[in-house]
Amino acid sequence: MTEHTDDSHGGGEHGMTRRQLARHSAWFGGVVVLSVVAGEVISHIPGSASVAPASSADLHFVQVSDSHIGFDGPANMDVAGTFGMAVNQVNSLGFRADFVMHSGDLTHLSTPAQFDQVKQMLSQLDTDRVFTVPGEHDSIGDNGPRAYRQAFGQNTLGDGWYSFDTHGVHFIALVNTLHLEQLGHLGNDQIDFVRKDIAGLSSDTPIVIFSHIPLFAMYPTWGWGTDDAVQLLSMFRRFSSVTCLNGHVHQLFSKTEGNITFHSARPTCYPFPKPGQGPAPLPQVLPAGRLKDALGIRTVNYRQGSHALAIKDEKLA
């Protein structure tokens, strides 16, 4: 987390009524933008009709993911260049994001130079606040977790988790990449933090959870899941609007389980194959001129007093 708000905490009290998030489950292309317009949830796909302009009172935030600064290979010979394009695209959205969240794998090898480079690039975003969660590539080596927290973990708890509130929405940022074997892992300390964090919240409070690895069993064979996520998510059954946003899988995927909707984000570096369509989640080399079609950003909008969030995905321009 490069900058943290003074409303970060372990709980709060909110009472606005919200309708459950609209849900869908499908593979789809482009960048995902979450938006709420006139109280309706809209998931905008490139090529479909644009959403109406949002008011200045709305919450606008952006998710970027998996920049892998420091990667060097044929799948993308210039990951800093494509991440720079993503930064420019965020700055050209037509509105100023209230904050930007990077959902992990900021770096490729957890080196101090790579952390410094991505931190400098994130500082170019036209927003007051930038938040992060670590990916497994940000935790390489004995010094990796410490280097990540030194660069991005100010005012966080434990291994780097935290929560904050803005515009009537409660946000929780989790770390499930530090103690993983085959699957992501949260651990008892972090689960206890969440239990205390949400204890005082009204069940009508919209919840957004960020993590790097998915909090659902997307494809456990490739490690795309979190082994103790069921224990975590059971605590959110009483909430009407819960959205989980993750990175790690380098592609867009949307899924609903009960009252919780999951959205995996596309990267800014290179794509992975879809689950089961290859021997392993390895960087894919795309035909010339096609790489940007697999990369993108996600925007999320929320209108106070309305029903839910809305998501929009856009390809890297």
Side-chain angles (χ1 to χ4, degrees), residues 17-54:
T17 299
R18 302 288 184 266
R19 187 174 61 185
Q20 275 190 302
L21 284 173
R23 297 171 174 88
H24 54 279
S25 179
W27 289 100
F28 51 100
V31 175
V32 173
V33 178
L34 306 172
S35 309
V36 174
V37 177
E40 295 299 325
V41 181
I42 297 174
S43 179
H44 178 71
I45 311 288
S48 63
S50 298
V51 300

Coordinates of all heavy atoms in Angstrom, one line a residue, residues 17-54:
T17 N -29.1 1.0 2.9 CA -29.7 -0.2 2.3 C -29.1 -0.4 0.9 O -29.0 0.5 0.1 CB -31.2 -0.1 2.2 OG1 -31.7 0.0 3.5 CG2 -31.8 -1.3 1.5
R18 N -28.7 -1.6 0.5 CA -28.2 -2.0 -0.8 C -28.9 -3.2 -1.3 O -29.2 -4.1 -0.6 CB -26.7 -2.2 -0.7 CG -25.9 -1.1 -0.1 CD -25.8 0.1 -1.1 NE -25.0 1.1 -0.7 CZ -25.5 2.2 0.0 NH1 -26.7 2.3 0.3 NH2 -24.6 3.1 0.4
R19 N -29.1 -3.3 -2.6 CA -29.6 -4.5 -3.2 C -28.4 -5.4 -3.5 O -27.3 -4.9 -3.7 CB -30.3 -4.2 -4.5 CG -31.0 -5.4 -5.2 CD -31.8 -4.9 -6.4 NE -30.9 -4.3 -7.4 CZ -31.4 -3.8 -8.5 NH1 -32.7 -3.7 -8.7 NH2 -30.6 -3.2 -9.4
Q20 N -28.7 -6.7 -3.5 CA -27.6 -7.6 -3.8 C -27.0 -7.3 -5.2 O -27.6 -6.9 -6.1 CB -28.1 -9.1 -3.9 CG -28.1 -9.7 -2.5 CD -28.4 -11.2 -2.6 OE1 -29.4 -11.6 -3.2 NE2 -27.5 -12.0 -2.1
L21 N -25.7 -7.6 -5.3 CA -25.0 -7.4 -6.6 C -25.6 -8.2 -7.7 O -25.9 -9.4 -7.5 CB -23.5 -7.8 -6.4 CG -22.6 -6.8 -5.7 CD1 -21.2 -7.4 -5.5 CD2 -22.5 -5.5 -6.4
A22 N -25.7 -7.7 -8.9 CA -26.0 -8.5 -10.0 C -24.9 -9.5 -10.2 O -23.7 -9.2 -10.0 CB -26.2 -7.6 -11.3
R23 N -25.3 -10.7 -10.7 CA -24.3 -11.8 -10.8 C -24.3 -12.4 -12.1 O -25.4 -12.5 -12.7 CB -24.6 -12.8 -9.7 CG -24.4 -12.2 -8.3 CD -24.9 -13.2 -7.2 NE -24.6 -12.8 -5.9 CZ -25.4 -12.0 -5.2 NH1 -26.5 -11.6 -5.7 NH2 -25.0 -11.6 -4.0
H24 N -23.2 -12.8 -12.6 CA -23.1 -13.5 -13.8 C -21.8 -14.4 -13.8 O -20.9 -14.2 -13.0 CB -23.0 -12.6 -15.0 CG -22.0 -11.6 -15.0 ND1 -22.1 -10.4 -14.2 CD2 -20.7 -11.5 -15.5 CE1 -21.0 -9.7 -14.4 NE2 -20.2 -10.3 -15.1
S25 N -21.8 -15.5 -14.6 CA -20.7 -16.4 -14.6 C -20.4 -16.7 -16.0 O -21.1 -17.5 -16.7 CB -21.1 -17.7 -13.8 OG -20.0 -18.6 -13.8
A26 N -19.3 -16.2 -16.5 CA -18.9 -16.4 -17.9 C -17.5 -16.0 -18.1 O -17.0 -15.1 -17.4 CB -19.8 -15.7 -18.8
W27 N -16.8 -16.5 -19.1 CA -15.6 -16.0 -19.6 C -15.9 -14.8 -20.5 O -16.9 -14.9 -21.3 CB -14.8 -17.1 -20.5 CG -14.3 -18.2 -19.6 CD1 -14.8 -19.4 -19.5 CD2 -13.1 -18.2 -18.9 NE1 -14.0 -20.2 -18.6 CE2 -13.0 -19.4 -18.3 CE3 -12.1 -17.2 -18.6 CZ2 -11.9 -19.8 -17.5 CZ3 -11.0 -17.5 -17.8 CH2 -10.9 -18.8 -17.2
F28 N -15.1 -13.8 -20.4 CA -15.4 -12.7 -21.3 C -14.1 -11.9 -21.5 O -13.2 -12.0 -20.7 CB -16.5 -11.7 -20.8 CG -16.4 -11.2 -19.4 CD1 -15.9 -10.0 -19.2 CD2 -16.8 -12.0 -18.4 CE1 -15.8 -9.5 -17.9 CE2 -16.7 -11.6 -17.1 CZ -16.2 -10.3 -16.8
G29 N -14.0 -11.1 -22.6 CA -12.8 -10.5 -22.9 C -12.7 -9.0 -22.5 O -13.7 -8.5 -22.1
G30 N -11.5 -8.4 -22.5 CA -11.4 -7.0 -22.3 C -11.1 -6.7 -20.8 O -10.9 -7.5 -20.0
V31 N -11.2 -5.4 -20.5 CA -11.0 -4.9 -19.1 C -12.4 -4.8 -18.4 O -13.4 -4.5 -19.0 CB -10.4 -3.5 -19.2 CG1 -10.3 -2.9 -17.8 CG2 -9.1 -3.6 -19.9
V32 N -12.4 -5.2 -17.2 CA -13.7 -5.1 -16.4 C -13.8 -3.8 -15.7 O -12.9 -3.5 -14.9 CB -13.8 -6.3 -15.4 CG1 -15.0 -6.1 -14.5 CG2 -13.9 -7.6 -16.1
V33 N -14.9 -3.1 -15.9 CA -15.2 -1.9 -15.1 C -16.4 -2.1 -14.3 O -17.5 -2.5 -14.9 CB -15.3 -0.7 -16.0 CG1 -15.6 0.5 -15.2 CG2 -14.0 -0.5 -16.8
L34 N -16.4 -1.9 -13.0 CA -17.6 -2.1 -12.2 C -18.2 -0.7 -12.0 O -17.6 0.2 -11.6 CB -17.2 -2.6 -10.8 CG -16.4 -3.9 -10.8 CD1 -15.9 -4.2 -9.4 CD2 -17.2 -5.0 -11.3
S35 N -19.5 -0.5 -12.4 CA -20.1 0.8 -12.3 C -21.6 0.6 -11.9 O -22.2 -0.3 -12.2 CB -20.1 1.4 -13.7 OG -18.8 1.5 -14.3
V36 N -22.0 1.6 -11.1 CA -23.5 1.7 -10.8 C -24.0 3.0 -11.4 O -23.5 4.1 -11.1 CB -23.7 1.7 -9.2 CG1 -25.1 1.9 -8.9 CG2 -23.2 0.4 -8.7
V37 N -25.0 2.9 -12.2 CA -25.6 4.1 -12.8 C -27.1 4.1 -12.5 O -27.8 3.1 -12.8 CB -25.4 4.0 -14.4 CG1 -26.1 5.2 -15.0 CG2 -23.9 4.1 -14.6
A38 N -27.6 5.1 -11.9 CA -29.0 5.3 -11.6 C -29.5 4.1 -10.9 O -30.7 3.6 -11.1 CB -29.8 5.5 -12.9
G39 N -28.7 3.6 -10.0 CA -29.1 2.5 -9.1 C -29.1 1.1 -9.8 O -29.5 0.1 -9.2
E40 N -28.6 1.0 -11.0 CA -28.6 -0.3 -11.7 C -27.2 -0.7 -11.9 O -26.3 0.1 -12.2 CB -29.2 -0.1 -13.1 CG -30.7 0.2 -13.0 CD -31.5 -0.9 -12.3 OE1 -31.2 -2.1 -12.5 OE2 -32.5 -0.6 -11.6
V41 N -27.0 -2.0 -11.7 CA -25.6 -2.6 -11.8 C -25.4 -2.9 -13.3 O -26.2 -3.5 -14.0 CB -25.5 -4.0 -11.1 CG1 -24.1 -4.6 -11.2 CG2 -25.9 -3.7 -9.6
I42 N -24.3 -2.4 -13.8 CA -23.9 -2.5 -15.2 C -22.5 -3.1 -15.4 O -21.6 -2.6 -14.8 CB -24.0 -1.2 -16.0 CG1 -25.4 -0.6 -15.9 CG2 -23.5 -1.3 -17.4 CD1 -25.5 0.8 -16.5
S43 N -22.4 -4.2 -16.1 CA -21.1 -4.8 -16.4 C -20.9 -4.5 -17.9 O -21.5 -5.1 -18.7 CB -21.1 -6.3 -16.1 OG -19.9 -6.8 -16.5
H44 N -20.0 -3.6 -18.1 CA -19.7 -3.1 -19.5 C -18.6 -3.9 -20.2 O -17.5 -4.0 -19.6 CB -19.4 -1.6 -19.4 CG -19.1 -1.0 -20.8 ND1 -20.1 -0.8 -21.7 CD2 -18.0 -0.6 -21.4 CE1 -19.6 -0.3 -22.8 NE2 -18.3 -0.2 -22.6
I45 N -18.9 -4.4 -21.3 CA -17.9 -5.1 -22.2 C -17.6 -4.2 -23.4 O -18.5 -3.6 -23.9 CB -18.5 -6.5 -22.7 CG1 -19.1 -7.2 -21.5 CG2 -17.4 -7.3 -23.4 CD1 -18.1 -7.8 -20.5
P46 N -16.4 -4.1 -23.8 CA -16.1 -3.4 -24.9 C -16.9 -3.8 -26.1 O -17.1 -5.0 -26.4 CB -14.6 -3.7 -25.2 CG -14.0 -4.0 -23.8 CD -15.2 -4.7 -23.1
G47 N -17.4 -2.8 -26.8 CA -18.3 -3.1 -28.0 C -19.8 -2.9 -27.6 O -20.6 -2.8 -28.5
S48 N -20.1 -2.9 -26.3 CA -21.5 -2.7 -25.9 C -21.7 -1.3 -25.7 O -20.8 -0.5 -25.7 CB -21.8 -3.6 -24.7 OG -21.0 -3.1 -23.6
A49 N -23.0 -0.9 -25.4 CA -23.3 0.5 -25.2 C -22.6 1.0 -23.9 O -22.4 0.3 -22.9 CB -24.8 0.7 -25.0
S50 N -22.1 2.2 -24.0 CA -21.4 2.8 -22.9 C -22.4 3.2 -21.8 O -23.6 3.4 -22.0 CB -20.7 4.1 -23.3 OG -19.7 3.8 -24.3
V51 N -21.9 3.2 -20.5 CA -22.8 3.6 -19.4 C -22.9 5.1 -19.4 O -22.1 5.8 -19.9 CB -22.2 3.0 -18.1 CG1 -22.1 1.5 -18.1 CG2 -20.8 3.7 -17.8
A52 N -23.9 5.5 -18.7 CA -24.2 7.0 -18.6 C -23.1 7.6 -17.7 O -22.5 6.9 -16.8 CB -25.6 7.2 -18.0
P53 N -22.8 8.9 -17.9 CA -21.9 9.5 -17.0 C -22.3 9.4 -15.5 O -23.4 9.6 -15.2 CB -21.8 11.0 -17.5 CG -22.4 10.9 -18.9 CD -23.4 9.8 -18.9
A54 N -21.3 9.2 -14.7 CA -21.6 9.1 -13.2 C -21.5 10.5 -12.6 O -20.7 11.3 -13.1 CB -20.7 8.1 -12.6

